[in-house]
Amino acid sequence: MTTGAFDGRATSDWMRRFAATAYATEAELTALDQQAGDGDFGVNLTAGVKAGERLLDADGNPDGGPSAPLGSMAAAFLDEIGGTSGPLFGLLFQALARTAESAGSALTAAALATGTEEGLAAIRRVGDAAPGDKTLVDALTPAAEALRAAPDGTPADQALERAAEAAWQGVRDTADLSARMGRASYLGERVTGVPDPGAVGIALFFASAADTVREVAPHLR
Amino acid sequence: MTTGAFDGRATSDWMRRFAATAYATEAELTALDQQAGDGDFGVNLTAGVKAGERLLDADGNPDGGPSAPLGSMAAAFLDEIGGTSGPLFGLLFQALARTAESAGSALTAAALATGTEEGLAAIRRVGDAAPGDKTLVDALTPAAEALRAAPDGTPADQALERAAEAAWQGVRDTADLSARMGRASYLGERVTGVPDPGAVGIALFFASAADTVREVAPHLR
Amino acid sequence: MARYFENSTDDLVPDALAGFARAHADVVEHHADSGSLVARHTAAARRVGLLSGGGSGHEPLHAGFVGAGMLDAACPGRVFASPHNRQIYQASLAVARPEGVLHIVKNYTGDRINFGIAAERLAHQDVACARVLVDDDLASDSEAVGAGRRGTGGTLLVEKILGGAADTGLGLTELAELGAAAVRRCRTLAVASAAHTAPTTDEPAFTLPAGELEYGVGIHGERANRTRPQQPVAALVEEMTDALLAAVRPGPGEPVLALVNGLGAVTSLELYGIFGELGRVLDARGVHLARHLVGDYVTALDMRGFSLTLLVADPAMLPFYDAPVRTAALRW
Amino acid sequence: MARYFENSTDDLVPDALAGFARAHADVVEHHADSGSLVARHTAAARRVGLLSGGGSGHEPLHAGFVGAGMLDAACPGRVFASPHNRQIYQASLAVARPEGVLHIVKNYTGDRINFGIAAERLAHQDVACARVLVDDDLASDSEAVGAGRRGTGGTLLVEKILGGAADTGLGLTELAELGAAAVRRCRTLAVASAAHTAPTTDEPAFTLPAGELEYGVGIHGERANRTRPQQPVAALVEEMTDALLAAVRPGPGEPVLALVNGLGAVTSLELYGIFGELGRVLDARGVHLARHLVGDYVTALDMRGFSLTLLVADPAMLPFYDAPVRTAALRW
Ligand SMILES: Nc1ncnc2c1ncn2[C@@H]1O[C@H](COP(=O)(O)OP(=O)(O)O)[C@@H](O)[C@H]1O
Ligand SMILES: Nc1ncnc2c1ncn2[C@@H]1O[C@H](COP(=O)(O)OP(=O)(O)O)[C@@H](O)[C@H]1O
Ligand SMILES: [Mg+2]
Ligand SMILES: [Mg+2]
Ligand SMILES: [Mg+2]
Ligand SMILES: [Mg+2]
């Protein structure tokens, strides 16, 4: 195991922490999507993480490497969750799972950068949103850039912490935008001032990783 | 030419006289059908005789025997007139034309009886009405019977006069009936007291023949 | 002309006829004199011409079933009004074969009279003519209806069976008997959840309270003899199917042909759902569902409803039904 | 459940699917895992599987076009809602050929995203996948519409052409290019005189003042961008046809395929009248009407309206269109 990289157990904990965060913020996410969309983002996200947890439980081998937990989340979000954001999150998890697989037993900051970039590329291919369209792309793009910008050898948790910060900045920026894609686009200027819920979800995902290392897996430091 | 039988000229005059009668009674016929049907019997009948007159004019050979004028009326009523009564009258004319054709140059009382019976049979095959259903069958049936009852050698005009009388009696009887066939049947008891317009049309037809001989073709007596 | 896309109410049918004739010029020919549609191709073996007709507004019936293996001619009247006897007469002359012409007539007074008059005129011309009277509507099967059961959805099945039979060279009497037997073994029941739009007024022909259903409608937009609450389609189809089965009483193993027919505005989703329920009921009753059709075949303009038809085929009928057909609306 | 014949709103689509699969068991197979319909027969020469799908309520599109010579699979979503990416992914795996699978996708955000995700998953499994995006709707051809032109009636023609082409053994890239070329040469325009019945409320999705027309509707019951007075169908069709001709600009003698498509509740009489008018306008403009279809092919539940589609065929497309097809809703 590379020092400062995520093994299977840490990755699994990251996913469970993300789930816990989603439950804890569901009401807030719902409120955001009610202002900027159709109000189901909170439900969609919690349904996804719940399905993901079930698959994590079923897998039962936390030492099997970092790809499996990400793959469980990918399968859950891709297969079980409707709406726009569910499968898009699934694409991010799928790309991370693939990179984790090539990375072997532990996810380095570089592998996380590659996986996030590929996930972002897939999301943009599929959803056709560009930065500035007030979608989760506005959080994911700066997150991917932050991961890539981390100097060689940066521990994964530090890289993810910077990614989370960058994503939160992206979230704040979406509040100033009017929506061009997704359901919010029908509301035009009326959503200016409200941050994009999907972008918040992305920021929560990276932030959960940072928390994981700090609280759950200090051995990785 | 058999004495007392209708030649082509007399038959043609009969048809024209029937036309004149129809025009003269149109308003009355309309009023009857308004009470017992949909109010178009007067129009249907006058449209038929008008088309018949056109064909009589076009034929232009009043000495061609009695079948041609009846055939003209048959073609007019069968081809041009919609509704229920138009084509039914056409069937009567068609049967009379056919008998006239076999009868040769003049229509005897016996031939008129045969033609009327065959016309009645066709009308009943087609329309499925029985005597007592408050339709033109209630005038045509006694008319045919009166023609058949005329002793051998009765002059045609006398036979037709009796047919007209019998038809009028049939018309009076329809006033007491409620309708079972045709549009009037939807009104049930509400048409009791009103004579059937189609039956009136039949009585007018036979009455016009009697008139023909009396006023237009006294040479036939 | 508000709901209806037309040039005028009077133009609706003639314009449709002209467009139909152009659209299906490979199959039918428009005889302008009689206002009828005549098949371009018909089996050489036919000894009897097959002709049907009736009021317009029931499309694809009958024009859509003119062609090889089915009708030789169709005579459309105005909307919901019988064709003129002259139309029928002229078209009959055009398609009569050595053994004459068979008229397939839905049981309505106007149609009976006009087809009857045409038959009288044909007899006058020594053209043999027989009639199959289709009176398959179960809802009008009552003493109170003097005119007898109406002719509805079953007409399509009868026309297909007769078409296949005519192609084998059957004679006029045999065809008339076959048709009568098919009708005897066939019943239809129809319901509606909304009226058609009357072409003259551009308004619904009647209004149904929300949640109500007309049970036992005909194909002219006439109301049914009773209105009752709408119910889940499984229960509705079960009741309708049992009523039909009680009327046609298939013997053990006898093949049943079923038609699930849209009356105009009902969706394809609903029709296939209805077919699924019908299949389930027939399976449960041990009835052999041998053939089926699902679609808009005998309509009532844009009425929102459907009809179910069951026909218990005898051994001869099934091959006639299966025989090839190539018309605008049916081909196999 | 009042206007709709159904067991419940949620059952409408699954019940229809089951009934459809039984009704057309000779042509399609119902894959319950993915909720898709898969062709039982497909040409051995195909090197690419053809798959389409989209929200339900547009029947017979797409399930009615699964079968030999056309689609290998269709994925129906809920009414007017994209299918799930898993449906598409699983059905794609089921029908992928050596050179992969081609997705024919109507241009709507939900469909693009779900088909896109399925394609990502297929790439993940090393299954080659390409997409033909159908965006033929002329009414949404405007800068103001960020999502681009909608995919509507032309989809049927594109699917037929691609089916014929796939049967000749064309590869994935060639098919994708052919499909894109067909879409570029194809435009559709739709109007409605009454809304569909919304399955959730059982009420008309919108109400139109008497005598008014929605000009430029889509196939999801959405209103058009303008309402205007109804007019005689000759004038209406002329205007629509001229707008389409200005968009597709057929060269002299170039063969044009036309689709006169009912949106659900419009009558067959009207559709054929409309076809007649279309033929007259094309004749007058010297346009060669090479092929045509008239009927309900791409619907919006029971919307009372119609669409016109013109596709200018290039020399390769016509034989592909003419190639044999055997599906529930199209066969020749
Ligand atoms: N085209 C797109 N590309 C990327 N993300 C998108 C797109 N459209 C919407 N989103 C994201 O999806 C989120 C909404 O998700 P959700 O509520 O699950 O979907 P829905 O709009 O189907 O209800 C938005 O906040 C936005 O971030
Ligand atoms: N089934 C029938 N058999 C014989 N005559 C009938 C029948 N039905 C109606 N009639 C006659 O037709 C007459 C009405 O004719 P008309 O007004 O032209 O027809 P419609 O009922 O089509 O408007 C009735 O007065 C009756 O005499
Ligand atoms: Mg939402
Ligand atoms: Mg949603
Ligand atoms: Mg009258
Ligand atoms: Mg009348």
Side-chain angles (χ1 to χ4, degrees), chain C residues 4-329:
Chain C
Y4 277 89
F5 296 97
E6 62 190 7
N7 287 312
S8 77
T9 305
D10 283 346
D11 290 323
L12 184 59
V13 172
D15 283 355
L17 270 189
F20 182 89
R22 177 167 182 175
H24 301 290
D26 52 331
V27 174
V28 300
E29 198 179 345
H30 185 211
H31 283 205
D33 58 339
S34 61
S36 63
L37 294 159
V38 176
R40 284 197 194 272
H41 311 282
T42 184
R46 278 204 183 187
R47 287 155 58 200
V48 174
L50 296 189
L51 182 147
S52 190
S56 290
H58 307 304
E59 291 65 33
L61 193 80
H62 298 271
F65 305 127
V66 172
M70 220 159 153
L71 298 178
D72 292 295
C75 298
R78 285 174 295 127
V79 169
F80 295 165
S82 163
H84 194 280
N85 78 80
R86 175 172 47 83
Q87 266 179 282
I88 303 163
Y89 170 66
Q90 290 177 336
S92 296
L93 289 179
V95 302
R97 292 288 185 128
E99 294 208 20
V101 60
L102 182 70
H103 289 172
I104 304 165
V105 184
K106 301 192 299 302
N107 185 33
Y108 298 99
T109 305
D111 293 77
R112 289 175 69 148
I113 287 182
N114 280 289
F115 274 91
I117 290 168
E120 294 291 332
R121 300 179 75 179
L122 291 167
H124 196 58
Q125 299 290 320
D126 291 321
V127 174
C129 177
R131 171 190 289 187
V132 171
L133 189 73
V134 184
D135 56 351
D136 58 321
D137 174 49
L138 191 59
S140 46
D141 194 344
S142 136
E143 286 301 311
V145 182
R149 289 187 303 264
R150 297 172 289 208
T152 60
T155 314
L156 160 64
L157 301 180
V158 173
E159 290 179 355
K160 178 63 191 79
I161 289 169
L162 286 172
D167 280 355
T168 67
L170 249 57
L172 185 60
T173 315
E174 296 160 300
L175 286 172
E177 281 167 7
L178 174 69
V183 172
R184 272 195 307 277
R185 293 165 151 265
C186 178
R187 287 297 178 272
T188 298
L189 194 52
V191 296
S193 63
H196 74 276
T197 313
T200 41
T201 63
D202 246 311
E203 293 294 325
F206 55 82
T207 44
L208 261 176
E212 289 288 296
L213 184 77
E214 292 282 318
Y215 192 93
V217 292
I219 55 172
H220 298 92
E222 61 267 45
R223 299 197 67 145
N225 44 13
R226 51 192 170 126
T227 297
R228 47 184 246 184
Q230 174 65 290
Q231 54 187 134
V233 73
L236 176 65
V237 169
E238 180 169 4
E239 179 178 345
M240 292 171 71
T241 307
D242 282 336
L244 290 169
L245 286 173
V248 295
R249 302 186 166 281
E254 271 194 301
V256 167
L257 315 187
L259 169 64
V260 174
N261 175 58
L263 292 178
V266 79
T267 64
S268 175
L269 288 173
E270 293 163 275
L271 285 184
Y272 281 108
I274 290 159
F275 174 73
E277 302 297 349
L278 173 69
R280 259 187 290 282
V281 178
L282 293 179
D283 292 348
R285 306 289 183 270
V287 174
H288 172 38
L289 174 59
R291 301 288 184 277
H292 58 269
L293 283 174
V294 183
D296 289 358
Y297 290 104
V298 180
T299 61
L301 290 172
D302 57 353
M303 184 171 241
R304 206 178 193 307
F306 71 92
S307 66
L308 295 183
T309 301
L310 297 183
L311 187 154
V312 183
D314 74 16
M317 289 172 190
L318 214 50
F320 293 147
Y321 179 81
D322 288 343
V325 59
R326 190 183 158 78
T327 69

Side-chain angles (χ1 to χ4, degrees), chain B residues 33 38 40-41 44 83-85 88 127 129 135-136 182-183 196-198:
Chain B
D33 197 35
D38 58 355
D40 59 356
F41 178 72
N44 288 343
T84 306
S85 68
L88 293 181
T135 70
L136 52 81
R183 285 183 195 279
D196 177 66

